[in-house]
């Protein structure tokens, strides 16, 4: 085992550091990626596809632009940070922060500071604290929670889904463009740092095609370097551009299109990739994880 890998005991031990978000099982994952890479479009379409399949989905926008949920609603969602400028978090109601969008997707926008003022990650921290204080996940009981996070920098509030146990898996959206690949590598480094404490792990890469030279090959090289996999490759499609112009998802605007089916398949693949590994299941279910029934191999510990 390499020094960077988390042992089963460490994973169990560091569970005590994590916030208790809900007693109800949920699949929680975050999309990270360079700004402008198509991450929010991907997140909204995946959320719509999962909701269409019968899942209760919550999409939490963690980008200061507050546009993660724009394709799911005609009216923008008031950001949590703006709401907190008007009243204390103890006075906020869940219905102020959480709005239903098309397909029934639960929409939240963290927001950010006024341009030129404050830390861009502050909205994420404030939103997460407010949602936890109001027991949002217990009230709405989502099957899937998706975080859409700006990934050019992974510090402060932007790292919260990784470092504080809010997400279980991180999926990086990238193209074959050099700056996108550079951002993806930085994000993966941050994930590795926090995964050593048993927090979120890197679930894989989503290749959002820009049709640049050697694109697939370059992203395959990136995946190999990061010891991960390409979950799916999204083709460049006019249906996506047309849906964006109309302010909606492909799932809604072109439900019979090949691109809508591609988002549906991606949603299935993400759920499959987000399932706990055998070791993680053993830790979560408090079963022996030492390879046999002799607990002496665990240093005397059973789980």
């Amino acid at each position: 085992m390499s020094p960077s890998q988390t042992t089963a005991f460490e994973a169990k031990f560091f569970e005590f550091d994590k916030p208790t978000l809900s007693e109800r099982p949920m699949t929680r994952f975050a999309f990270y990626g360079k700004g402008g890479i198509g991450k929010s479009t991907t997140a909204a379409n995946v959320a719509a596809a999962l909701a269409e399949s019968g899942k209760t989905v919550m999409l939490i926008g963690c980008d200061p632009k507050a546009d993660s949920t724009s394709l799911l609603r005609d009216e923008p969602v008031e950001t949590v940070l703006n709401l907190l400028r008007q009243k204390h978090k103890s006075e906020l109601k869940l219905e102020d922060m959480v709005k239903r969008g098309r397909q029934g997707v639960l929409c939240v926008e963290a927001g950010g500071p006024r341009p030129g003022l404050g830390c861009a990650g502050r909205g994420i921290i404030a939103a997460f604290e407010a949602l936890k204080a109001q027991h949002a996940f217990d009230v709405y009981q989502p099957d899937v929670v998706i975080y859409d996070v700006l990934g050019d920098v992974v510090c402060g509030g932007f790292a919260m889904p990784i470092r504080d146990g809010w997400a279980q898996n991180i999926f990086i959206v990238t193209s074959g463009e050099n700056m996108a690949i550079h951002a993806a590598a930085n994000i993966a480094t941050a994930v590795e740092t926090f995964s050593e404490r048993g927090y979120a792990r890197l679930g894989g890469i989503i290749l959002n095609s820009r049709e640049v030279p050697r694109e697939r090959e370059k992203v395959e090289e990136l995946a190999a370097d990061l010891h991960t996999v390409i979950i799916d490759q999204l083709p460049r499609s006019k249906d996506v551009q047309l849906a964006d112009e109309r302010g909606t998802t492909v799932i809604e605007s072109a439900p019979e299109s090949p691109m809508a089916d591609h988002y549906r398949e991606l949603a299935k693949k993400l759920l499959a990739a987000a399932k706990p590994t055998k070791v993680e299941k053993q830790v979560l279910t408090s079963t022996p994880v030492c390879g046999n029934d002799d607990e002496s191999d665990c240093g005397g510990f059973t789980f």
Side-chain angles (χ1 to χ4, degrees), residues 95-124:
E95 54 264 34
D96 296 329
M97 298 182 283
V98 183
K99 301 294 184 180
R100 288 197 181 271
R102 288 186 282 271
Q103 303 284 352
V105 176
L106 301 163
C107 300
V108 181
E109 291 285 358
R114 295 181 178 88
L117 298 173
C119 170
R122 181 184 167 204
I124 300 172

Side-chain angles (χ1 to χ4, degrees), residues 1 5 15 17 47 55 66 71 84 98 104 110 113 127 130 140 150 169 188 223 229 250 258 303:
M1 177 177 290
Q5 289 181 301
E15 283 288 327
D17 287 348
K55 302 287 187 185
L71 299 182
L84 287 171
V98 183
Y140 288 104
L150 180 66
N169 290 267
V229 297
V250 177
F303 308 106

